[in-house]
Amino acid sequence: MKRGGGITMRVGRNRRPALKPRGMRWIAALFLLPALAAFLLFKYYPLFQAVLMSFFDYNLMNPPGRFVGFGNYRLLFRSTIFWTAVWNTFAFAGLYLVLTFWIPIVQALLLNEIRRGSLLFRFLYLVPAAVPSVAVYVLWKWIYHPDYGLLNDWLGSIGLGPYGWLSDPGMAKLAIVMPGMLGGGISLLIYYSALQGIPHEIVEAAKIDGAGPWQRLRKVIFPGLRFIIGIQFVVFVANVFLTFDPIYVMTGGGPVDSTRVLSLLVYDSAFREYRFGLAGAISLMMFAIIAVITFVQLKLSKSAAQ
C-alpha cells in the first residue's frame, strides 16, 4: 500500500505463469524413446544402408564388394527397362488417383447422411481391411481368368468378352487398379471421423441461409476436410509409388513388362539377380521421386491454406 497526495494506490505482485516441472519433459522423452529407436532402426538404418550399397557392386559373400561410385546410377539411366518401370509407375499413379482416391470420400459423405444403421455399414466397410491383401489379389486373379473367371462369365451373359484382363498389355494396368475402386477400409473411417468433427450447427445454418447440397459441400464440408484430404493425398501417393503386392501376385510385371514398376524392379534386382547395389540405387531414386512429390504437395497445401 502506498499513499501520496491523498490518492491510495495498490501495487499488486507480479505473478509468474506456472511452469511445468522439468521432470515431466524427461518422462515424455522416455515414453517416445522406444518408438524413436524402432523408427531409426527399421526406417533410417535400412535407408542409410541402401544409399551405401548403391555405390558398390555389392557382394554378399564379401561385403560391401567393389566400389563403383555412380556406376549403378549410370547403368540405370542407360537401361530401357528402368525407364519403362518409371513410366509404368507414373501411369499407375495416375490411374489410382483418377479412379480410386476420391471413392472413400464419396462413401464417407454418403455414410454421414445415414442416421440409422451407420455402425453396421462402418463395420462392413472395415471388415475387408482385416483380410490379407495377398489373399484378395489371388481371388481377383481367378476372377479375371480368361476361360473360367467370374467376370468374363458375367460379361458373356450379356454378349461381351471374353477379355484377357491380365494377359492384354492394354488392359492389365486397369485390371490391377479396378479392385481399389471398391473403396472402404481405413481411409473411409478417417474421412467419416473428420466429417463428424464438422459442427452440425454450421451445416444447419447454411441450409437456413438457402445453401443447396452442392454449395454446402463446397463452402462448408470440403473446407473442413481440406487438411485431412491433404494428408491422405500424401500417404496415398507414397503408397501408390510403393505398390508391389497386386502387381507381383496378378501379373508379375507382365505381359511384356506393361506392369513392371520400380518396386518390382527393386525386388527382381535384389532377390532374383542378386544385384543389391543396383537395387539400392533404384530404391534411392524412388525415395527421391516420392520426396519431391510430397514436398510439392505440402507447399501447395500450405499456399492454399493461406
PDB file of all heavy atoms in Angstrom, residues 166-198:
ATOM      1  N   LEU A 166      -5.623 -59.812 -67.672  1.00  0.00           N
ATOM      2  CA  LEU A 166      -4.249 -59.747 -67.185  1.00  0.00           C
ATOM      3  C   LEU A 166      -3.224 -60.156 -68.240  1.00  0.00           C
ATOM      4  O   LEU A 166      -2.027 -60.046 -67.992  1.00  0.00           O
ATOM      5  CB  LEU A 166      -4.087 -60.643 -65.951  1.00  0.00           C
ATOM      6  CG  LEU A 166      -4.958 -60.274 -64.751  1.00  0.00           C
ATOM      7  CD1 LEU A 166      -4.756 -61.273 -63.624  1.00  0.00           C
ATOM      8  CD2 LEU A 166      -4.659 -58.855 -64.260  1.00  0.00           C
ATOM      9  N   SER A 167      -3.698 -60.635 -69.390  1.00  0.00           N
ATOM     10  CA  SER A 167      -2.773 -61.051 -70.449  1.00  0.00           C
ATOM     11  C   SER A 167      -2.700 -60.040 -71.593  1.00  0.00           C
ATOM     12  O   SER A 167      -1.862 -60.178 -72.486  1.00  0.00           O
ATOM     13  CB  SER A 167      -3.201 -62.417 -71.007  1.00  0.00           C
ATOM     14  OG  SER A 167      -4.540 -62.368 -71.502  1.00  0.00           O
ATOM     15  N   ASP A 168      -3.552 -59.032 -71.575  1.00  0.00           N
ATOM     16  CA  ASP A 168      -3.549 -57.993 -72.600  1.00  0.00           C
ATOM     17  C   ASP A 168      -2.784 -56.779 -72.070  1.00  0.00           C
ATOM     18  O   ASP A 168      -3.173 -56.196 -71.056  1.00  0.00           O
ATOM     19  CB  ASP A 168      -4.985 -57.596 -72.938  1.00  0.00           C
ATOM     20  CG  ASP A 168      -5.066 -56.604 -74.093  1.00  0.00           C
ATOM     21  OD1 ASP A 168      -4.017 -56.040 -74.471  1.00  0.00           O
ATOM     22  OD2 ASP A 168      -6.175 -56.380 -74.605  1.00  0.00           O
ATOM     23  N   PRO A 169      -1.681 -56.373 -72.722  1.00  0.00           N
ATOM     24  CA  PRO A 169      -0.915 -55.214 -72.229  1.00  0.00           C
ATOM     25  C   PRO A 169      -1.745 -53.946 -72.128  1.00  0.00           C
ATOM     26  O   PRO A 169      -1.457 -53.081 -71.292  1.00  0.00           O
ATOM     27  CB  PRO A 169       0.206 -55.068 -73.266  1.00  0.00           C
ATOM     28  CG  PRO A 169       0.349 -56.415 -73.879  1.00  0.00           C
ATOM     29  CD  PRO A 169      -1.034 -56.997 -73.892  1.00  0.00           C
ATOM     30  N   GLY A 170      -2.772 -53.811 -72.943  1.00  0.00           N
ATOM     31  CA  GLY A 170      -3.598 -52.612 -72.898  1.00  0.00           C
ATOM     32  C   GLY A 170      -4.615 -52.593 -71.769  1.00  0.00           C
ATOM     33  O   GLY A 170      -5.161 -51.530 -71.452  1.00  0.00           O
ATOM     34  N   MET A 171      -4.880 -53.756 -71.158  1.00  0.00           N
ATOM     35  CA  MET A 171      -5.896 -53.840 -70.115  1.00  0.00           C
ATOM     36  C   MET A 171      -5.319 -54.180 -68.739  1.00  0.00           C
ATOM     37  O   MET A 171      -6.013 -54.058 -67.733  1.00  0.00           O
ATOM     38  CB  MET A 171      -6.942 -54.897 -70.482  1.00  0.00           C
ATOM     39  CG  MET A 171      -7.670 -54.635 -71.782  1.00  0.00           C
ATOM     40  SD  MET A 171      -8.949 -55.864 -72.115  1.00  0.00           S
ATOM     41  CE  MET A 171     -10.145 -55.436 -70.851  1.00  0.00           C
ATOM     42  N   ALA A 172      -4.073 -54.630 -68.691  1.00  0.00           N
ATOM     43  CA  ALA A 172      -3.522 -55.150 -67.439  1.00  0.00           C
ATOM     44  C   ALA A 172      -3.469 -54.083 -66.351  1.00  0.00           C
ATOM     45  O   ALA A 172      -3.795 -54.355 -65.187  1.00  0.00           O
ATOM     46  CB  ALA A 172      -2.130 -55.725 -67.691  1.00  0.00           C
ATOM     47  N   LYS A 173      -3.056 -52.868 -66.700  1.00  0.00           N
ATOM     48  CA  LYS A 173      -2.982 -51.807 -65.685  1.00  0.00           C
ATOM     49  C   LYS A 173      -4.359 -51.527 -65.087  1.00  0.00           C
ATOM     50  O   LYS A 173      -4.516 -51.424 -63.859  1.00  0.00           O
ATOM     51  CB  LYS A 173      -2.407 -50.528 -66.288  1.00  0.00           C
ATOM     52  CG  LYS A 173      -0.929 -50.570 -66.634  1.00  0.00           C
ATOM     53  CD  LYS A 173      -0.460 -49.191 -67.076  1.00  0.00           C
ATOM     54  CE  LYS A 173       1.008 -49.174 -67.465  1.00  0.00           C
ATOM     55  NZ  LYS A 173       1.257 -49.962 -68.697  1.00  0.00           N
ATOM     56  N   LEU A 174      -5.351 -51.389 -65.942  1.00  0.00           N
ATOM     57  CA  LEU A 174      -6.705 -51.115 -65.470  1.00  0.00           C
ATOM     58  C   LEU A 174      -7.220 -52.255 -64.601  1.00  0.00           C
ATOM     59  O   LEU A 174      -7.870 -52.026 -63.575  1.00  0.00           O
ATOM     60  CB  LEU A 174      -7.637 -50.897 -66.657  1.00  0.00           C
ATOM     61  CG  LEU A 174      -9.105 -50.635 -66.331  1.00  0.00           C
ATOM     62  CD1 LEU A 174      -9.254 -49.349 -65.523  1.00  0.00           C
ATOM     63  CD2 LEU A 174      -9.941 -50.557 -67.606  1.00  0.00           C
ATOM     64  N   ALA A 175      -6.926 -53.497 -64.984  1.00  0.00           N
ATOM     65  CA  ALA A 175      -7.383 -54.646 -64.210  1.00  0.00           C
ATOM     66  C   ALA A 175      -6.771 -54.655 -62.814  1.00  0.00           C
ATOM     67  O   ALA A 175      -7.438 -55.034 -61.838  1.00  0.00           O
ATOM     68  CB  ALA A 175      -7.032 -55.936 -64.951  1.00  0.00           C
ATOM     69  N   ILE A 176      -5.531 -54.234 -62.696  1.00  0.00           N
ATOM     70  CA  ILE A 176      -4.885 -54.205 -61.374  1.00  0.00           C
ATOM     71  C   ILE A 176      -5.479 -53.101 -60.511  1.00  0.00           C
ATOM     72  O   ILE A 176      -5.615 -53.248 -59.280  1.00  0.00           O
ATOM     73  CB  ILE A 176      -3.365 -54.022 -61.549  1.00  0.00           C
ATOM     74  CG1 ILE A 176      -2.757 -55.304 -62.131  1.00  0.00           C
ATOM     75  CG2 ILE A 176      -2.691 -53.674 -60.218  1.00  0.00           C
ATOM     76  CD1 ILE A 176      -1.301 -55.189 -62.478  1.00  0.00           C
ATOM     77  N   VAL A 177      -5.866 -51.984 -61.117  1.00  0.00           N
ATOM     78  CA  VAL A 177      -6.396 -50.852 -60.350  1.00  0.00           C
ATOM     79  C   VAL A 177      -7.856 -51.070 -59.954  1.00  0.00           C
ATOM     80  O   VAL A 177      -8.299 -50.573 -58.911  1.00  0.00           O
ATOM     81  CB  VAL A 177      -6.251 -49.553 -61.182  1.00  0.00           C
ATOM     82  CG1 VAL A 177      -6.939 -48.374 -60.498  1.00  0.00           C
ATOM     83  CG2 VAL A 177      -4.775 -49.230 -61.403  1.00  0.00           C
ATOM     84  N   MET A 178      -8.606 -51.831 -60.731  1.00  0.00           N
ATOM     85  CA  MET A 178     -10.045 -51.976 -60.516  1.00  0.00           C
ATOM     86  C   MET A 178     -10.436 -52.439 -59.113  1.00  0.00           C
ATOM     87  O   MET A 178     -11.435 -51.955 -58.571  1.00  0.00           O
ATOM     88  CB  MET A 178     -10.653 -52.896 -61.580  1.00  0.00           C
ATOM     89  CG  MET A 178     -10.926 -52.188 -62.896  1.00  0.00           C
ATOM     90  SD  MET A 178     -11.442 -53.317 -64.216  1.00  0.00           S
ATOM     91  CE  MET A 178     -12.922 -54.025 -63.501  1.00  0.00           C
ATOM     92  N   PRO A 179      -9.726 -53.379 -58.458  1.00  0.00           N
ATOM     93  CA  PRO A 179     -10.121 -53.745 -57.088  1.00  0.00           C
ATOM     94  C   PRO A 179     -10.131 -52.566 -56.119  1.00  0.00           C
ATOM     95  O   PRO A 179     -10.927 -52.542 -55.171  1.00  0.00           O
ATOM     96  CB  PRO A 179      -9.063 -54.784 -56.686  1.00  0.00           C
ATOM     97  CG  PRO A 179      -8.634 -55.385 -57.974  1.00  0.00           C
ATOM     98  CD  PRO A 179      -8.675 -54.274 -58.973  1.00  0.00           C
ATOM     99  N   GLY A 180      -9.278 -51.576 -56.344  1.00  0.00           N
ATOM    100  CA  GLY A 180      -9.254 -50.401 -55.476  1.00  0.00           C
ATOM    101  C   GLY A 180     -10.472 -49.522 -55.625  1.00  0.00           C
ATOM    102  O   GLY A 180     -10.735 -48.666 -54.771  1.00  0.00           O
ATOM    103  N   MET A 181     -11.255 -49.723 -56.700  1.00  0.00           N
ATOM    104  CA  MET A 181     -12.451 -48.908 -56.913  1.00  0.00           C
ATOM    105  C   MET A 181     -13.590 -49.293 -55.978  1.00  0.00           C
ATOM    106  O   MET A 181     -14.607 -48.606 -55.929  1.00  0.00           O
ATOM    107  CB  MET A 181     -12.898 -49.029 -58.371  1.00  0.00           C
ATOM    108  CG  MET A 181     -11.897 -48.478 -59.368  1.00  0.00           C
ATOM    109  SD  MET A 181     -12.366 -48.759 -61.092  1.00  0.00           S
ATOM    110  CE  MET A 181     -13.835 -47.738 -61.197  1.00  0.00           C
ATOM    111  N   LEU A 182     -13.427 -50.378 -55.226  1.00  0.00           N
ATOM    112  CA  LEU A 182     -14.440 -50.749 -54.244  1.00  0.00           C
ATOM    113  C   LEU A 182     -14.401 -49.841 -53.020  1.00  0.00           C
ATOM    114  O   LEU A 182     -15.375 -49.775 -52.270  1.00  0.00           O
ATOM    115  CB  LEU A 182     -14.254 -52.210 -53.821  1.00  0.00           C
ATOM    116  CG  LEU A 182     -14.443 -53.247 -54.928  1.00  0.00           C
ATOM    117  CD1 LEU A 182     -14.153 -54.645 -54.389  1.00  0.00           C
ATOM    118  CD2 LEU A 182     -15.850 -53.172 -55.493  1.00  0.00           C
ATOM    119  N   GLY A 183     -13.275 -49.159 -52.791  1.00  0.00           N
ATOM    120  CA  GLY A 183     -13.182 -48.222 -51.670  1.00  0.00           C
ATOM    121  C   GLY A 183     -13.162 -48.928 -50.330  1.00  0.00           C
ATOM    122  O   GLY A 183     -12.668 -50.050 -50.192  1.00  0.00           O
ATOM    123  N   GLY A 184     -13.749 -48.274 -49.320  1.00  0.00           N
ATOM    124  CA  GLY A 184     -13.785 -48.834 -47.979  1.00  0.00           C
ATOM    125  C   GLY A 184     -12.439 -48.735 -47.287  1.00  0.00           C
ATOM    126  O   GLY A 184     -11.549 -47.977 -47.683  1.00  0.00           O
ATOM    127  N   GLY A 185     -12.281 -49.508 -46.214  1.00  0.00           N
ATOM    128  CA  GLY A 185     -11.019 -49.541 -45.497  1.00  0.00           C
ATOM    129  C   GLY A 185     -10.847 -48.399 -44.508  1.00  0.00           C
ATOM    130  O   GLY A 185     -11.777 -47.675 -44.167  1.00  0.00           O
ATOM    131  N   ILE A 186      -9.601 -48.223 -44.083  1.00  0.00           N
ATOM    132  CA  ILE A 186      -9.276 -47.228 -43.054  1.00  0.00           C
ATOM    133  C   ILE A 186      -9.509 -45.809 -43.556  1.00  0.00           C
ATOM    134  O   ILE A 186      -9.954 -44.937 -42.799  1.00  0.00           O
ATOM    135  CB  ILE A 186      -7.810 -47.398 -42.595  1.00  0.00           C
ATOM    136  CG1 ILE A 186      -7.585 -48.801 -42.017  1.00  0.00           C
ATOM    137  CG2 ILE A 186      -7.450 -46.338 -41.572  1.00  0.00           C
ATOM    138  CD1 ILE A 186      -8.387 -49.091 -40.776  1.00  0.00           C
ATOM    139  N   SER A 187      -9.232 -45.546 -44.828  1.00  0.00           N
ATOM    140  CA  SER A 187      -9.409 -44.196 -45.366  1.00  0.00           C
ATOM    141  C   SER A 187     -10.842 -43.717 -45.210  1.00  0.00           C
ATOM    142  O   SER A 187     -11.092 -42.551 -44.868  1.00  0.00           O
ATOM    143  CB  SER A 187      -9.006 -44.151 -46.833  1.00  0.00           C
ATOM    144  OG  SER A 187      -7.645 -44.453 -47.003  1.00  0.00           O
ATOM    145  N   LEU A 188     -11.790 -44.603 -45.454  1.00  0.00           N
ATOM    146  CA  LEU A 188     -13.196 -44.246 -45.305  1.00  0.00           C
ATOM    147  C   LEU A 188     -13.503 -43.804 -43.881  1.00  0.00           C
ATOM    148  O   LEU A 188     -14.185 -42.785 -43.662  1.00  0.00           O
ATOM    149  CB  LEU A 188     -14.073 -45.443 -45.690  1.00  0.00           C
ATOM    150  CG  LEU A 188     -15.551 -45.362 -45.321  1.00  0.00           C
ATOM    151  CD1 LEU A 188     -16.229 -44.222 -46.060  1.00  0.00           C
ATOM    152  CD2 LEU A 188     -16.248 -46.677 -45.611  1.00  0.00           C
ATOM    153  N   LEU A 189     -12.986 -44.531 -42.894  1.00  0.00           N
ATOM    154  CA  LEU A 189     -13.259 -44.185 -41.499  1.00  0.00           C
ATOM    155  C   LEU A 189     -12.576 -42.876 -41.096  1.00  0.00           C
ATOM    156  O   LEU A 189     -13.104 -42.115 -40.284  1.00  0.00           O
ATOM    157  CB  LEU A 189     -12.802 -45.315 -40.575  1.00  0.00           C
ATOM    158  CG  LEU A 189     -13.566 -46.635 -40.712  1.00  0.00           C
ATOM    159  CD1 LEU A 189     -13.099 -47.629 -39.662  1.00  0.00           C
ATOM    160  CD2 LEU A 189     -15.062 -46.412 -40.595  1.00  0.00           C
ATOM    161  N   ILE A 190     -11.413 -42.609 -41.686  1.00  0.00           N
ATOM    162  CA  ILE A 190     -10.721 -41.338 -41.391  1.00  0.00           C
ATOM    163  C   ILE A 190     -11.559 -40.164 -41.902  1.00  0.00           C
ATOM    164  O   ILE A 190     -11.776 -39.169 -41.190  1.00  0.00           O
ATOM    165  CB  ILE A 190      -9.324 -41.337 -42.023  1.00  0.00           C
ATOM    166  CG1 ILE A 190      -8.426 -42.348 -41.305  1.00  0.00           C
ATOM    167  CG2 ILE A 190      -8.699 -39.937 -41.957  1.00  0.00           C
ATOM    168  CD1 ILE A 190      -7.062 -42.514 -41.931  1.00  0.00           C
ATOM    169  N   TYR A 191     -12.049 -40.266 -43.135  1.00  0.00           N
ATOM    170  CA  TYR A 191     -12.890 -39.196 -43.683  1.00  0.00           C
ATOM    171  C   TYR A 191     -14.201 -39.082 -42.905  1.00  0.00           C
ATOM    172  O   TYR A 191     -14.699 -37.975 -42.671  1.00  0.00           O
ATOM    173  CB  TYR A 191     -13.185 -39.449 -45.159  1.00  0.00           C
ATOM    174  CG  TYR A 191     -11.990 -39.281 -46.064  1.00  0.00           C
ATOM    175  CD1 TYR A 191     -11.577 -40.301 -46.914  1.00  0.00           C
ATOM    176  CD2 TYR A 191     -11.258 -38.096 -46.080  1.00  0.00           C
ATOM    177  CE1 TYR A 191     -10.481 -40.146 -47.746  1.00  0.00           C
ATOM    178  CE2 TYR A 191     -10.169 -37.937 -46.900  1.00  0.00           C
ATOM    179  CZ  TYR A 191      -9.785 -38.963 -47.731  1.00  0.00           C
ATOM    180  OH  TYR A 191      -8.697 -38.808 -48.554  1.00  0.00           O
ATOM    181  N   TYR A 192     -14.769 -40.214 -42.519  1.00  0.00           N
ATOM    182  CA  TYR A 192     -16.023 -40.192 -41.769  1.00  0.00           C
ATOM    183  C   TYR A 192     -15.824 -39.512 -40.408  1.00  0.00           C
ATOM    184  O   TYR A 192     -16.666 -38.704 -39.978  1.00  0.00           O
ATOM    185  CB  TYR A 192     -16.532 -41.615 -41.577  1.00  0.00           C
ATOM    186  CG  TYR A 192     -17.806 -41.709 -40.778  1.00  0.00           C
ATOM    187  CD1 TYR A 192     -19.042 -41.429 -41.361  1.00  0.00           C
ATOM    188  CD2 TYR A 192     -17.779 -42.067 -39.433  1.00  0.00           C
ATOM    189  CE1 TYR A 192     -20.211 -41.510 -40.627  1.00  0.00           C
ATOM    190  CE2 TYR A 192     -18.942 -42.151 -38.685  1.00  0.00           C
ATOM    191  CZ  TYR A 192     -20.154 -41.872 -39.288  1.00  0.00           C
ATOM    192  OH  TYR A 192     -21.312 -41.945 -38.559  1.00  0.00           O
ATOM    193  N   SER A 193     -14.712 -39.800 -39.734  1.00  0.00           N
ATOM    194  CA  SER A 193     -14.421 -39.150 -38.456  1.00  0.00           C
ATOM    195  C   SER A 193     -14.233 -37.652 -38.622  1.00  0.00           C
ATOM    196  O   SER A 193     -14.677 -36.865 -37.783  1.00  0.00           O
ATOM    197  CB  SER A 193     -13.162 -39.769 -37.828  1.00  0.00           C
ATOM    198  OG  SER A 193     -13.331 -41.150 -37.600  1.00  0.00           O
ATOM    199  N   ALA A 194     -13.586 -37.246 -39.732  1.00  0.00           N
ATOM    200  CA  ALA A 194     -13.406 -35.816 -39.988  1.00  0.00           C
ATOM    201  C   ALA A 194     -14.749 -35.139 -40.236  1.00  0.00           C
ATOM    202  O   ALA A 194     -14.981 -34.008 -39.786  1.00  0.00           O
ATOM    203  CB  ALA A 194     -12.478 -35.615 -41.185  1.00  0.00           C
ATOM    204  N   LEU A 195     -15.659 -35.815 -40.925  1.00  0.00           N
ATOM    205  CA  LEU A 195     -16.996 -35.255 -41.156  1.00  0.00           C
ATOM    206  C   LEU A 195     -17.766 -35.112 -39.843  1.00  0.00           C
ATOM    207  O   LEU A 195     -18.519 -34.147 -39.662  1.00  0.00           O
ATOM    208  CB  LEU A 195     -17.780 -36.156 -42.112  1.00  0.00           C
ATOM    209  CG  LEU A 195     -17.373 -36.091 -43.585  1.00  0.00           C
ATOM    210  CD1 LEU A 195     -18.058 -37.192 -44.377  1.00  0.00           C
ATOM    211  CD2 LEU A 195     -17.714 -34.726 -44.167  1.00  0.00           C
ATOM    212  N   GLN A 196     -17.580 -36.060 -38.935  1.00  0.00           N
ATOM    213  CA  GLN A 196     -18.245 -35.975 -37.645  1.00  0.00           C
ATOM    214  C   GLN A 196     -17.736 -34.786 -36.833  1.00  0.00           C
ATOM    215  O   GLN A 196     -18.434 -34.285 -35.949  1.00  0.00           O
ATOM    216  CB  GLN A 196     -18.018 -37.266 -36.856  1.00  0.00           C
ATOM    217  CG  GLN A 196     -18.704 -38.486 -37.449  1.00  0.00           C
ATOM    218  CD  GLN A 196     -20.213 -38.400 -37.372  1.00  0.00           C
ATOM    219  OE1 GLN A 196     -20.787 -38.251 -36.302  1.00  0.00           O
ATOM    220  NE2 GLN A 196     -20.865 -38.480 -38.533  1.00  0.00           N
ATOM    221  N   GLY A 197     -16.506 -34.335 -37.134  1.00  0.00           N
ATOM    222  CA  GLY A 197     -15.942 -33.195 -36.419  1.00  0.00           C
ATOM    223  C   GLY A 197     -16.431 -31.849 -36.915  1.00  0.00           C
ATOM    224  O   GLY A 197     -16.169 -30.820 -36.271  1.00  0.00           O
ATOM    225  N   ILE A 198     -17.111 -31.809 -38.059  1.00  0.00           N
ATOM    226  CA  ILE A 198     -17.675 -30.549 -38.562  1.00  0.00           C
ATOM    227  C   ILE A 198     -18.942 -30.240 -37.769  1.00  0.00           C
ATOM    228  O   ILE A 198     -19.860 -31.066 -37.730  1.00  0.00           O
ATOM    229  CB  ILE A 198     -17.991 -30.653 -40.062  1.00  0.00           C
ATOM    230  CG1 ILE A 198     -16.699 -30.920 -40.855  1.00  0.00           C
ATOM    231  CG2 ILE A 198     -18.658 -29.381 -40.565  1.00  0.00           C
ATOM    232  CD1 ILE A 198     -16.927 -31.153 -42.332  1.00  0.00           C
TER     233      ILE A 198
END
